[in-house]
Amino acid sequence: MRKLFYISLASAAVFFGSCSQDDFADAYKNPANVEATNVPKQFAGFMKINYEDVIPAYWNYFTVIRTTSLTYTQAHGFTNLTGRYVPGAAVTNRWDRYYKFITQYRELEKVMAALPAAEQTENRIFTIASTIYLYDHTAKMIDNFGDIPFSEAGKIGSVGGNYANALAKYDNQTELYTMMLDQLKAFSTELNSITLSTKAELEFKNQDLINKGNLTSWKNYCNSLRLKLLNRVSATSAFSARANTEIAEIIATGNIVDENSENIAFRVYDQNPDTGLNTSGFKDALESWNNNVAPKPMIDHMNANNDPRKPWLFEPGVEAAGAYKGLDPLLTSGVQDQLIVDGEIATYNRSVISRNKWLPGTLINAAEVNLLLAEYYSRTGNAGTAKTHFEKAIRQSVEYYVRLGDKADDLTWKPTVEPTVAEVDAYIAIINFGGAATPAAQLELIAFQKYIHYNIMQADESWAEQRRLKLPVLTFQEDETSSVRKTPPTRWTYPTSESVYNTDNYNVVKANDNLSTKIFWDVK
């Protein structure tokens, strides 16, 4: 049985606003009374508990992504309603799920620590894999919030269920990135020499919900995550030298996600509702409230350059006579609504995307990695190699979205002819990376390809990259009716529950808790 603590929250002291501190006494099971678990099962429970933040699902897309990063990045077209740049309740939903997730990790740590030394060594792979996965999601939390409770968070089970003793301090975001990069580098080395017993190998294969026990895939995941994090901090004075040095080391190992066959993802293997690992509800999340409306900058680019991904990502409006039109972000909400109602605006493809029950939950993919490599080589003065990776990324992105349609459940909107090599080559020639004479011009091309490739499928990554690069240059209509925020924010604010129940620790970071404070890597 998995030991599940369903109300863990940030520091085990972050609670729903309607509850009082007295409610904490009944909020947690007594650890002494919870049914026994073991390392492999606790590992699987830890990986599954936040699957909705990875696999396209209703809760994350409709409640969190729709009202935040999809809008801030113009990954979809949105109407200019009052308050559209204020995150609202979305931050609480993401915050709560992350701290349930980290509580499960702490329970795994506790179960592991209780084992004899020899068994801890035998089960070492579960610690490595779970920590890589934890750091992937922890980085996303830092990228959204900045400083977060981490080192002391989720330890309610280690203090006998005493919430007062589990109040967690906020850890500095730069120090957390340093810690994660240090440990990921050590894991990368360790994975090169680790050997598994027959028992551990079988258990790891059975309980690994991502890579099915494949150690090569875990090496690739670890190093590709390092690459992403190093690139994200590469413009900061604290990390710039380290970033370029370690990225070169990672490239030299060859252990990265370099082809679509190596992509790291939560994959959907069946439609059994009992497994929970499916995209149930994604159709409603994306199609309701016009969440699937096409954005004008992306559509305009695709129209102008014959982007072969266009019919796989989008479908024309039902009354648009086959023309692809994106929603103009500078129109008034009334005009925007009328265009949508009239069927003039394109939407995300229903066969390939919103009604495809087999969509994977992407963690790292090849096109993303090669765009990161293109940026690295451009930054370090190797335009020729940057061009190679840039063009490879485009080919992989096209392949990625075409292949998403392979198991489409409804073929009504699925294109019937796949892009040819010549069509993809023609698009690459039009984009003409080689014609970009400076690193700045090259970065503009790279950033726009990130914008297209990430679209709604990797909205968190897209928002982080757009804030970091200030590219692509997108125009937003200011929300003149809002007294809180008139343009997209640079971070999320903390949930109200933090100031109410984790007051002393919250007060340390309170001065920076606003929508204008930048994340530490946001230096442009």
Side-chain angles (χ1 to χ4, degrees):
M1 295 292 292
R2 291 188 297 275
K3 195 182 297 184
L4 298 177
F5 290 77
Y6 284 104
I7 304 178
S8 57
L9 312 174
S11 36
V14 182
F15 206 62
F16 298 108
S18 61
C19 300
S20 69
Q21 291 195 358
D22 292 338
D23 292 317
F24 279 103
D26 298 320
Y28 301 94
K29 294 181 180 180
N30 183 337
N33 296 331
V34 177
E35 296 176 78
T37 186
N38 60 37
V39 167
K41 291 181 179 180
Q42 188 65 31
F43 171 74
F46 156 75
M47 296 183 79
K48 184 179 179 182
I49 198 168
N50 80 325
Y51 80 95
E52 283 190 308
D53 287 335
V54 185
I55 289 180
Y58 183 88
W59 191 259
N60 188 43
Y61 264 82
F62 189 80
T63 310
V64 180
I65 304 274
R66 175 182 62 86
T67 60
T68 56
S69 51
L70 289 188
T71 296
Y72 307 157
T73 61
Q74 292 190 26
H76 71 162
F78 59 92
T79 51
N80 287 316
L81 300 177
T82 300
R84 59 190 175 275
Y85 303 130
V86 180
V91 301
T92 300
N93 292 318
R94 179 66 66 82
W95 186 270
D96 290 350
R97 287 209 306 277
Y98 173 76
Y99 286 103
K100 291 179 184 179
F101 172 66
I102 199 172
T103 296
Q104 291 306 306
Y105 178 81
R106 300 302 182 202
E107 288 303 305
L108 176 59
E109 285 185 317
K110 191 170 70 171
V111 173
M112 179 72 80
L115 295 176
E119 291 185 38
Q120 289 187 36
T121 300
E122 183 180 30
N123 286 283
R124 173 66 176 166
I125 187 60
F126 292 100
T127 293
I128 295 173
S130 62
T131 307
I132 292 170
Y133 187 59
L134 173 70
Y135 287 171
D136 193 348
H137 291 280
T138 299
K140 289 178 172 59
M141 288 290 288
I142 296 168
D143 294 345
N144 285 337
F145 290 101
D147 297 347
I148 60 169
F150 179 82
S151 60
E152 297 175 355
K155 295 188 176 182
I156 187 73
S158 300
V159 293
N162 186 327
Y163 73 87
N165 291 336
L167 294 170
K169 69 175 183 179
Y170 283 70
D171 293 288
N172 177 273
Q173 56 197 286
T174 306
E175 293 174 0
L176 285 175
Y177 253 76
T178 301
M179 178 269 295
M180 291 190 295
L181 287 169
D182 288 347
Q183 290 201 20
L184 288 170
K185 183 177 182 180
F187 289 152
S188 175
T189 300
E190 189 172 356
L191 283 168
N192 287 327
S193 59
I194 195 169
T195 57
L196 304 184
S197 68
T198 301
K199 176 176 179 289
E201 183 177 18
L202 178 62
E203 290 178 329
F204 187 48
K205 180 180 180 180
N206 289 340
Q207 303 295 348
D208 178 5
L209 302 179
I210 299 172
N211 293 318
K212 303 299 181 185
N214 188 312
L215 291 181
T216 298
S217 294
W218 278 102
K219 292 178 190 177
N220 292 343
Y221 185 10
C222 179
N223 281 317
S224 298
L225 178 59
R226 289 175 64 202
L227 172 66
K228 180 172 69 175
L229 300 187
L230 286 164
N231 201 60
R232 189 150 293 160
V233 300
S234 60
T236 67
S237 58
F239 287 99
S240 58
R242 174 179 182 173
N244 288 338
T245 298
E246 291 195 14
I247 288 174
E249 293 171 355
I250 292 167
I251 293 169
T253 70
N255 292 322
I256 55 175
V257 175
D258 192 47
E259 301 293 342
N260 278 327
S261 61
E262 300 168 338
N263 289 346
I264 308 298
F266 258 119
R267 292 177 175 83
V268 178
Y269 291 99
D270 61 59
Q271 297 299 321
N272 183 351
D274 293 335
T275 68
L277 297 175
N278 57 65
T279 60
S280 176
F282 185 55
K283 169 183 172 290
D284 289 339
L286 200 59
E287 294 183 22
S288 61
W289 290 27
N290 299 317
N291 198 26
N292 63 342
V293 167
K296 188 176 190 297
M298 199 178 296
I299 289 293
D300 285 354
H301 169 93
M302 290 180 160
N303 285 336
N305 299 288
N306 295 321
D307 192 322
R309 291 166 291 194
K310 183 172 65 175
W312 298 84
L313 276 171
F314 298 102
E315 58 184 83
V318 294
E319 299 296 334
Y324 290 81
K325 303 175 185 178
L327 188 65
D328 190 337
L330 299 184
L331 298 176
T332 64
S333 59
V335 174
Q336 290 173 323
D337 285 336
Q338 193 61 52
L339 287 169
I340 295 171
V341 170
D342 289 345
E344 291 291 327
I345 304 300
T347 61
Y348 275 92
N349 188 294
R350 284 171 283 182
S351 290
V352 179
I353 306 294
S354 59
R355 300 189 185 185
N356 187 346
K357 297 178 182 178
W358 303 94
L359 287 181
T362 298
L363 293 165
I364 295 282
N365 60 60
E368 173 184 16
V369 168
N370 277 291
L371 286 170
L372 293 172
L373 292 175
E375 182 181 340
Y376 161 75
Y377 281 114
S378 175
R379 180 173 68 241
T380 54
N382 193 335
T385 306
K387 178 176 181 289
T388 298
H389 287 282
F390 176 81
E391 294 179 354
K392 183 175 183 178
I394 290 176
R395 291 188 176 92
Q396 290 172 330
S397 181
V398 173
E399 178 189 33
Y400 180 78
Y401 285 105
V402 170
R403 295 280 71 82
L404 284 186
D406 285 349
K407 296 178 70 174
D409 303 277
D410 188 329
L411 303 180
T412 307
W413 304 279
K414 180 183 173 181
T416 56
V417 180
E418 295 188 8
T420 65
V421 172
E423 288 171 335
V424 178
D425 288 345
Y427 172 71
I428 289 172
I430 292 172
I431 300 305
N432 189 19
F433 188 88
T438 64
Q442 293 161 12
L443 189 58
E444 288 185 16
L445 296 179
I446 293 168
F448 207 94
Q449 288 302 319
K450 288 182 181 181
Y451 169 57
I452 295 173
H453 180 69
Y454 285 144
N455 58 77
I456 61 168
M457 299 300 291
Q458 291 177 269
D460 285 334
E461 295 304 323
S462 191
W463 189 41
E465 289 297 273
Q466 287 191 25
R467 283 176 289 157
R468 179 178 71 90
L469 297 174
K470 305 299 182 286
L471 293 169
V473 177
L474 301 172
T475 305
F476 293 82
Q477 185 182 88
E478 290 191 1
D479 183 0
E480 296 293 350
T481 60
S482 174
S483 60
V484 179
R485 186 75 188 182
K486 299 185 183 303
T487 57
T490 54
R491 66 177 287 274
W492 290 353
T493 51
Y494 299 117
T496 303
S497 52
E498 278 295 279
S499 62
V500 174
Y501 299 116
N502 194 19
T503 309
D504 290 343
N505 291 310
Y506 169 78
N507 284 340
V508 175
V509 297
K510 181 179 179 180
N512 292 324
D513 188 22
N514 57 71
L515 295 171
S516 300
T517 299
K518 292 184 176 182
I519 307 302
F520 79 99
W521 42 251
D522 187 356
V523 296
K524 286 193 175 184

